[in-house]
């Protein structure tokens, strides 16, 4: 797929209005420069060899309009299609866009330095929220996850296609002997379980991708919680196994945000992707 052709057709689409077409029904839009939106179905028709997976491989990620909000899109939609964006449609709308990875990488370094200062001054003791959200963002980038509004009260769920993914984030240079805690009910509702292990400096120290059926079979003890101990799942760590390497949509993101030791271990499997 020629990216110049893709961008040219995005410009072409945005160069005129489309109020007489059915493109207003589209739920996935490719975004250029943060302000030019184009329906996925239009680009599939126009761009020769269009490949959604290639965009993911090059660093594009899915984001939900419901999650991130975007007043610019609402205005664009109304101008393009001569109709208001309905709330019901907005809930289903996804963007496929390219984040500024250099800016993000620099910000992570800055945040890490700030965390170290606050920890040394005994101000910060619990940094759960930022690491969890950052780890989920890593998972979105690496596996090309779609994030959709949950039908329950949980907020947003992750998907690979139609398969639901439970994402857990562990922050720390070492895992607790008890393992990573996961609610059994959420595993049961999912097809896959992804664990992103973040080092204290907020970089990825390990990744584990598991089939939910395997987790339920192996860890289906009493209680409502599953504990994923390193010793039980180490053979599924990305540093040890390429079993689920085919699930990686963007190997560059995995290598970019991995600790050096992990990146070296992954180089043979993902270095040429």
């Amino acid at each position: 797929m020629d990216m110049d052709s893709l961008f040219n057709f995005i410009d072409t689409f945005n160069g005129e209005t489309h109020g007489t077409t059915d493109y207003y029904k589209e739920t996935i839009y490719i975004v250029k420069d943060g302000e030019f939106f184009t329906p996925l179905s239009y680009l599939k028709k126009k761009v020769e060899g269009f490949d959604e997976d290639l965009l993911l491989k090059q660093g594009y990620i899915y984001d939900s309009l419901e999650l991130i909000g975007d007043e610019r899109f609402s205005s664009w939609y109304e101008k393009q299609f001569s109709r208001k964006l309905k709330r019901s449609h907005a809930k289903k709308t996804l963007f496929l866009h390219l984040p500024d990875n250099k800016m993000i990488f620099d910000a992570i370094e800055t945040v890490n330095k700030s965390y170290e200062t606050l920890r040394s001054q005994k101000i910060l003791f619990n940094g759960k929220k930022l690491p969890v959200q950052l780890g989920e963002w890593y998972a979105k980038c690496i596996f090309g996850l779609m994030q959709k509004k949950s039908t329950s009260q949980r907020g947003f769920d992750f998907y690979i296609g139609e398969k639901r993914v439970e994402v857990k984030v562990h922050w720390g240079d070492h895992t607790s002997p008890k393992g990573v805690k996961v609610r059994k009910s959420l595993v049961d509702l999912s097809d896959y379980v992804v664990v992103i292990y973040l080092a204290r400096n907020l970089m990825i120290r390990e990744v584990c991708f598991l089939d939910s059926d395997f987790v339920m079979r192996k860890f289906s003890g009493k209680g409502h919680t599953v504990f994923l101990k390193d010793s039980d799942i180490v053979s599924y760590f990305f540093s040890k196994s390429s079993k689920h390497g085919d699930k990686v949509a963007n190997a560059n993101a995995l290598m970019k945000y991995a600790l050096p030791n992990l990146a070296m271990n992954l180089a043979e499997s993902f270095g040429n992707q």
Side-chain angles (χ1 to χ4, degrees):
M1 179 176 68
D2 182 14
M3 294 301 291
D4 287 336
S5 175
L6 175 75
F7 295 145
N8 287 337
F9 277 115
I10 290 176
D11 292 339
T12 298
F13 185 88
N14 282 268
E16 55 188 25
T17 58
H18 299 270
T20 60
T21 71
D22 288 337
Y23 286 124
Y24 71 91
K25 298 178 181 179
E26 182 67 59
T27 56
I28 300 179
Y29 293 84
I30 309 297
V31 185
K32 176 188 173 188
D33 299 333
E35 59 180 325
F36 300 107
F37 307 90
T38 305
L40 178 65
S41 58
Y42 171 85
L43 293 173
K44 283 184 175 180
K45 292 177 183 177
K46 298 293 185 179
V47 180
E48 184 177 355
F50 181 87
D51 188 345
E52 199 171 339
D53 290 338
L54 180 60
L55 292 179
L56 295 174
K57 188 174 182 179
Q58 293 193 359
Y60 280 72
I61 64 171
Y62 291 104
D63 265 319
S64 165
L65 173 61
E66 182 82 346
L67 175 66
I68 65 174
D70 195 325
E71 294 181 2
R72 182 179 293 172
F73 177 74
S74 298
S75 300
W76 174 90
Y77 185 95
E78 185 173 350
K79 179 181 177 182
Q80 274 291 334
F81 304 122
S82 302
R83 64 180 67 222
K84 294 281 188 181
L85 177 63
K86 292 182 178 180
R87 176 69 174 162
S88 58
H89 190 72
K91 289 181 177 181
K92 298 183 288 185
T93 299
L94 296 173
F95 299 136
L96 189 55
H97 67 104
L98 185 66
D100 188 332
N101 283 286
K102 183 182 184 305
M103 183 182 295
I104 293 167
F105 192 88
D106 291 344
I108 290 171
E109 288 189 328
T110 301
V111 168
N112 178 54
K113 291 177 182 177
S114 299
Y115 262 59
E116 290 297 336
T117 299
L118 294 173
R119 278 195 291 263
S120 68
Q121 296 301 312
K122 312 303 180 189
I123 296 171
L124 185 66
F125 295 96
N126 187 342
K128 178 182 178 182
K129 289 187 177 180
L130 172 64
V132 168
Q133 293 186 66
L134 180 61
E136 290 178 344
W137 185 83
Y138 284 152
K140 279 198 337 185
C141 292
I142 294 167
F143 298 107
L145 303 182
M146 293 184 181
Q147 201 166 3
K148 301 179 182 179
K149 184 73 173 177
S150 174
T151 54
S152 66
Q153 300 300 313
R154 294 188 61 230
F156 290 83
D157 294 329
F158 294 100
Y159 289 85
I160 295 178
E162 297 300 318
K163 294 184 180 294
R164 188 181 176 282
V165 182
E166 178 64 19
V167 177
K168 291 296 296 182
V169 179
H170 179 275
W171 184 41
D173 290 335
H174 305 283
T175 311
S176 165
K178 289 184 177 180
V180 176
K181 184 169 66 174
V182 188
R183 284 174 56 189
K184 190 182 297 183
S185 60
L186 298 181
V187 176
D188 194 37
L189 289 171
S190 303
D191 296 282
Y192 303 117
V193 176
V194 170
V195 186
I196 303 293
Y197 297 85
L198 298 187
R200 283 175 64 87
N201 68 355
L202 301 174
M203 303 298 283
I204 301 171
R205 67 177 179 85
E206 189 58 83
V207 178
C208 189
F209 193 109
L210 301 168
D211 291 310
S212 294
D213 287 344
F214 164 79
V215 175
M216 293 301 290
R217 286 197 312 271
K218 187 172 180 64
F219 303 98
S220 59
K222 295 180 180 180
H224 303 289
T225 304
V226 170
F227 290 94
L228 302 176
K229 297 181 181 179
D230 284 6
S231 58
D232 292 329
I233 60 174
V234 64
S235 60
Y236 294 91
F237 285 174
F238 270 35
S239 62
K240 306 292 184 183
S241 170
S242 58
K243 175 178 173 61
H244 287 294
D246 61 320
K247 301 297 194 304
V248 173
N250 182 1
N252 287 333
L254 174 58
M255 301 292 285
K256 181 191 295 287
Y257 294 111
L259 288 176
N261 286 345
L262 177 60
M264 289 178 63
N265 286 334
L266 298 175
E268 184 175 345
S269 299
F270 299 106
N272 296 322
Q273 293 190 25

